Amino acid sequence: MAVSGRARIAAASVVSGVLVLASCGVFTDAPKTESARMLDTFAAALGAQDASRAAQLTSAPGQAAEQIGATLSGMHAATVSVKVTDPVEYSDHTATYNLTTRYDLGKDREYTTQTSGTARKLTSGWRVQWEPTLLASGMQAGGHLAAVRTDATPAPAVRDGANRPWMALQPVNDIVIDPSTTRDLPRTTSDLARVIAPIAPLITSRVISDRLAAAPGKPVTVVSLRDSDMTVLAGDPDRVAGVDVDKTSALLVTDRRITSPLTAGTTNYWQAIRDATAGWAVQMVAPNGATNRLAGAQGPASPDVRTTLNSGIQLSLVDSVVEVAQPATMMVLDARSGAILAAAANDAATSAGMSLTTSTTPGTTLDPVIAAIDSAAGGDRGAAEEQLHRLGLGVGYKIPGVSMPLSDNDTTASVSAASYNPSSLTVSPVSMGALGVAVARMSSVAPTFVRGVTTTVTGGDLGPVDAKVASAIAAAMRKTATSGDASDLTGAPGLRALVGTNGPQGPGWFVGIDGGKVLVVHCAGERSGTAALQVVQKYLRVR
């Protein structure tokens, strides 16, 4: 069949158009060039945060590994996404490309860099032409990127019940031994022990050696000192081989006399607030350490943490718990509100791991309480357990500023049985304090410490105490204080108390209501009941 010349031209145009479209990749994908494949491998290594692998694909592996590694370490990103775009390979065995790197910093925070670079075909194959600017525009040799936390200033203080500063962020000097920077480690430990002896005599060279042995080859912080402590040392720690003094800051008590187990929980609460309000920034760090902020956002300042601590009572408790050599803790609560006013522990209690929320057996201490509950419940186990909870016992307390989230045993003040079973009941200083408050006010409330922050109660409901139960317990407490085990105590007219032990090895307890305050003492070891009474008597003398 004959075809006109115009038709032949049109058909040729259609065929030509198809060929052009195919060459542009609409119908088929052109195979990647060697340089593009190498660049994809380089991007994958960066995305995997493998600095060594990425550096091996550059023209200067040593320099690249150092800067890439420093940046990946400094950014500490959850994930890194790297994309190569617009790769073009030229006939002179060079190539150009663009690189987009996204750092996922967590908490919906991210930072993205867009850079460009070149590649060359060397005898070893295609390699990225190493330039620090591949990591970020303006990057110098020896520099790196770093994502840092930012905190609003001034830092919140922790205040006592009278609104006076109890703890504040203060400068701290961390004395650190780095075993890799000294040739004679035994001499370093002995020299450092001598230097810090005036302020830390218990940290001997043997103690330092034991700490180093527990972390072989790693830097160890031997002691942290305030600026004022540094002035009384027997020398300059910086002059001891292998020792560095790192300047930092920490939340410290403003009055060193006010030591308390409450400081740990309060510091934990303060830190949680700081973490929640912290901001962030990405910095470019120059070789000399100078920084240039590239991105970020500052978090809001947080208010001071106000507690119910009574500093005067706290000082009295510190003096009281050292009256005995065996482990002893003491706590005082406000009998009307349940607020914790003070708490102290002697060194033996601290070494034994005794805390305000650790549960243990009450021994005979709660015999009058259980008897009153059983009498009122008349054999109804459900009613008995309800009364137990109404007295603040058999439930768990998580008290902001007191409880430490370390384990279930530390965050739960006491453990309730599945059903009423007095023989399995365990108590803590916190739950014994709640008992005293419940008897004093005829209704249980959860102990608190940070003002305006509620305590979480689990395992039962608090509330009004049955009048018959409260009356029976109060009568037993009066008898104990007037003619029973606590009758020798002086200086507390009108005292009501429960005293008991769990056999010769304790623990021993004292729970007392003294005017508007509830006193709780917990001792361990032999004659712990007598020891608890000694602590109380000392408190009544020095308060």
Side-chain angles (χ1 to χ4, degrees):
M1 177 178 174
V3 180
S4 68
R6 178 174 295 183
R8 283 195 298 270
I9 294 173
S13 298
V14 169
V15 172
S16 175
V18 169
L19 293 175
V20 170
L21 289 172
S23 68
C24 291
V26 173
F27 294 101
T28 61
D29 289 328
K32 285 193 174 183
T33 62
E34 290 183 20
S35 61
R37 288 195 296 271
M38 182 277 297
L39 290 171
D40 285 345
T41 304
F42 176 70
L46 288 178
Q49 303 194 52
D50 187 341
S52 177
R53 173 59 179 154
Q56 292 301 316
L57 294 172
T58 71
S59 60
Q63 298 173 28
E66 183 177 351
Q67 285 198 266
I68 294 173
T71 290
L72 292 174
S73 176
M75 293 296 286
H76 46 83
T79 59
V80 178
S81 303
V82 185
K83 183 178 181 181
V84 176
T85 57
D86 303 323
V88 180
E89 185 176 311
Y90 302 98
S91 59
D92 63 352
H93 301 303
T94 64
T96 59
Y97 62 94
N98 295 323
L99 202 65
T100 300
T101 306
R102 175 183 170 276
Y103 299 92
D104 178 2
L105 305 178
K107 298 182 179 179
D108 297 324
R109 300 166 179 175
E110 66 176 54
Y111 181 69
T112 301
T113 64
Q114 293 182 328
T115 59
S116 59
T118 60
R120 295 183 181 277
K121 188 172 184 179
L122 307 177
T123 56
S124 57
W126 280 95
R127 293 292 183 267
V128 170
Q129 184 68 32
W130 173 248
E131 295 289 345
T133 52
L134 276 178
L135 297 175
S137 299
M139 178 80 75
Q140 303 176 32
H144 65 277
L145 296 180
V148 298
R149 170 193 173 118
T150 61
D151 288 300
T153 56
V158 179
R159 298 185 174 274
D160 66 12
N163 206 33
R164 293 184 296 245
W166 169 31
M167 292 192 283
L169 192 66
Q170 301 178 44
V172 169
N173 302 273
D174 289 339
I175 313 299
V176 181
I177 287 183
D178 186 346
S180 66
T181 60
T182 176
R183 296 181 179 179
D184 190 345
L185 190 55
R187 181 173 179 178
T188 292
T189 58
S190 61
D191 287 350
L192 181 59
R194 175 184 55 80
V195 168
I196 66 175
I199 197 70
L202 298 181
I203 304 180
T204 62
S205 58
R206 176 63 180 272
V207 170
I208 298 174
S209 297
D210 289 345
R211 293 184 185 178
L212 290 168
K218 297 181 180 179
V220 170
T221 299
V222 175
V223 65
S224 297
L225 303 176
R226 305 178 191 226
D227 285 347
S228 57
D229 296 333
M230 300 292 287
T231 63
V232 298
L233 297 180
D236 183 358
D238 257 333
R239 297 179 67 86
V240 178
V243 175
D244 290 316
V245 179
D246 295 338
K247 298 286 186 178
T248 181
S249 60
L251 186 69
L252 302 176
V253 295
T254 56
D255 184 344
R256 293 192 195 213
R257 299 175 302 162
I258 303 179
T259 60
S260 173
L262 294 167
T263 58
T266 304
T267 298
N268 176 71
Y269 179 80
W270 176 89
Q271 188 62 55
I273 291 177
R274 293 274 280 175
D275 292 344
T277 58
W280 66 283
V282 173
Q283 299 175 339
M284 184 179 292
V285 184
N288 63 0
T291 60
N292 178 32
R293 176 170 170 153
L294 303 177
Q298 180 57 60
S302 57
D304 289 348
V305 177
R306 296 189 60 199
T307 71
T308 57
L309 181 81
N310 184 308
S311 297
I313 295 177
Q314 181 62 46
L315 289 172
S316 297
L317 264 59
V318 171
D319 286 342
S320 301
V321 293
V322 297
E323 181 72 4
V324 295
Q326 63 204 84
T329 68
M330 184 172 185
M331 183 169 60
V332 175
L333 301 87
D334 182 87
R336 292 175 294 277
S337 66
I340 297 173
L341 303 178
N346 61 16
D347 290 342
T350 302
S351 298
M354 288 170 55
S355 77
L356 302 178
T357 57
T358 300
S359 298
T360 186
T361 175
T364 60
T365 315
L366 297 182
D367 284 356
V369 175
I370 300 304
I373 292 175
D374 288 343
S375 176
D380 186 333
R381 297 174 68 84
E385 185 170 25
E386 180 181 0
Q387 286 303 313
L388 185 73
H389 295 165
R390 294 296 178 90
L391 287 166
L393 298 171
V395 297
Y397 300 100
K398 186 172 182 180
I399 310 172
V402 178
S403 301
M404 292 289 288
L406 299 177
S407 68
D408 291 340
N409 287 337
D410 287 326
T411 57
T412 304
S414 55
V415 181
S416 173
S419 60
Y420 180 66
N421 184 3
S423 63
S424 68
L425 179 67
T426 58
V427 295
S428 70
V430 163
S431 58
M432 287 296 225
L435 166 65
V437 172
V439 174
R441 51 176 281 143
M442 297 288 290
S443 179
S444 56
V445 293
T448 59
F449 187 60
V450 177
R451 292 185 182 275
V453 183
T454 59
T455 293
T456 301
V457 180
T458 58
D461 297 322
L462 305 181
V465 179
D466 181 273
K468 292 182 179 179
V469 172
S471 177
I473 296 173
M477 294 179 76
R478 281 192 297 269
K479 182 177 180 181
T480 299
T482 57
S483 60
D485 291 339
S487 59
D488 290 336
L489 295 175
T490 60
L495 176 70
R496 291 175 282 170
L498 294 171
V499 180
T501 64
N502 188 42
Q505 294 299 317
W509 290 94
F510 175 94
V511 180
I513 303 173
D514 176 30
K517 297 179 178 61
V518 171
L519 318 178
V520 178
V521 177
H522 175 211
C523 293
E526 293 185 5
R527 298 178 58 82
S528 54
T530 300
L533 292 171
Q534 287 179 255
V535 172
V536 174
Q537 185 61 78
K538 179 64 176 291
Y539 167 75
L540 296 176
R541 288 199 304 266
V542 303
R543 63 178 175 174

